[in-house]
Amino acid sequence: MKALIVDDDVVSRIALMDLLSVYGIFDLVEAEDGAAAWDLLAAGLHPVIVFCDVRMPRMSGIALLERMKGDPHLAQVPFVLVSSASDRDTVLQAVTLGAVGYILKPLHAAEARAHLEKIFRITLDKLAEDPATTMRRLNIGPDRLAAYLAAFAEQLLAGRVDIVALLDAGEGADARLRIDSVHTGCMTLGLWHVASQLDSARRGLPDARTVALVLGEVSESVRLQLSRLRAGMPDEGVLA
């Protein structure tokens, strides 16, 4: 899963990327300002979350947030402002526009982690069901859920190649049946975000490249769920 980091200050950008990399959740993508970020988004980047400075040349963080909220494909992407701008009006404007969080810089590791973990609790449960909820819904324990996720990961590893080959060969109907099976697995395991992406990808005539990218996102979502599951087990590190 990709997270977009937007900041014209390279030191601040690297510091935030270092902080986020500790969690082992995201594939981090960086942009030097709002305009560069928008170019990436317009070219097809669909991050699961955006961390963005406020004051930048060419396009500010507020302007990028407004533009994303105006795009139906990007409006639901969680947006976190990261800035030294602590004035009340900026915070109020960000919240009004739908920002899910606001982190002040320079970053203080302990304080930033506390904010990040609150944001993750809000955003990750929208991307995928909390493993504890999945276990209650399926009436299984953690070891069994881990087995379900591992089996699904193996299915994806083999199935991704087969689905792309079918699409390349013009066998759209057979490919769609395979995609439907993956979609069912996503819904069973509470992988809401990637299930929605698959739903969009399988409409009409599925495109091999798009489907391959989405199936890659499904695999990443499975990896994240395993990490979240292990984090809730005894003697495991946070998001290990």
Side-chain angles (χ1 to χ4, degrees), residues 5-59:
I5 316 300
V6 189
D7 199 317
D8 61 316
D9 176 7
V10 66
V11 174
S12 296
R13 197 164 69 234
I14 291 171
L16 181 57
M17 292 175 74
D18 283 346
L19 187 63
L20 289 168
S21 67
V22 170
Y23 292 90
I25 301 173
F26 304 113
D27 176 13
L28 301 174
V29 180
E30 55 185 312
E32 63 184 11
D33 57 37
W38 182 252
D39 287 344
L40 290 171
L41 295 167
L45 176 67
H46 197 286
V48 297
I49 192 166
V50 174
F51 295 89
C52 186
D53 187 23
V54 173
R55 296 192 177 102
M56 296 177 292
R58 300 204 298 163
M59 185 188 296

Side-chain angles (χ1 to χ4, degrees), residues 2-212:
K2 292 179 172 59
L4 178 59
I5 316 300
V6 189
D7 199 317
D8 61 316
D9 176 7
V10 66
V11 174
S12 296
R13 197 164 69 234
I14 291 171
L16 181 57
M17 292 175 74
D18 283 346
L19 187 63
L20 289 168
S21 67
V22 170
Y23 292 90
I25 301 173
F26 304 113
D27 176 13
L28 301 174
V29 180
E30 55 185 312
E32 63 184 11
D33 57 37
W38 182 252
D39 287 344
L40 290 171
L41 295 167
L45 176 67
H46 197 286
V48 297
I49 192 166
V50 174
F51 295 89
C52 186
D53 187 23
V54 173
R55 296 192 177 102
M56 296 177 292
R58 300 204 298 163
M59 185 188 296
S60 71
I62 295 294
L64 179 62
L65 174 57
E66 287 178 322
R67 188 169 287 194
M68 289 181 64
K69 290 299 180 184
D71 186 314
H73 298 294
L74 299 169
Q76 299 306 313
V77 176
F79 196 101
V80 181
L81 286 172
V82 185
S83 178
S84 56
S86 57
D87 58 283
R88 183 178 179 278
D89 289 343
T90 301
V91 175
L92 182 61
Q93 186 180 8
V95 171
T96 301
L97 287 170
V100 299
Y102 193 97
I103 298 175
L104 292 178
K105 62 179 185 181
L107 298 176
H108 297 282
E111 181 180 328
R113 276 197 298 270
H115 283 295
L116 284 171
E117 286 163 14
K118 287 179 184 177
I119 291 164
F120 291 163
R121 282 195 291 272
I122 295 169
T123 59
L124 292 183
D125 285 352
K126 291 182 179 179
L127 298 174
E129 187 173 54
D130 179 74
T133 304
T134 306
M135 288 186 284
R136 286 195 297 271
R137 177 168 55 82
L138 298 177
N139 193 29
I140 58 176
D143 290 342
R144 197 64 184 149
L145 179 56
Y148 281 21
L149 289 164
F152 193 40
E154 289 183 12
Q155 176 189 341
L156 290 166
L157 189 63
R160 182 178 180 182
V161 175
D162 292 341
I163 290 169
V164 171
L166 286 168
L167 290 171
D168 285 337
E171 302 290 340
D174 286 343
R176 193 176 287 108
L177 288 174
R178 305 270 187 115
I179 295 170
D180 287 347
S181 176
V182 175
H183 183 269
T184 299
C186 289
M187 293 300 292
T188 300
L189 294 169
L191 307 179
W192 314 134
H193 176 69
V194 287
S196 175
Q197 287 186 306
L198 275 174
D199 201 35
S200 298
R202 66 182 176 172
R203 291 174 188 164
L205 183 62
D207 171 75
R209 181 177 179 277
T210 300
V211 169

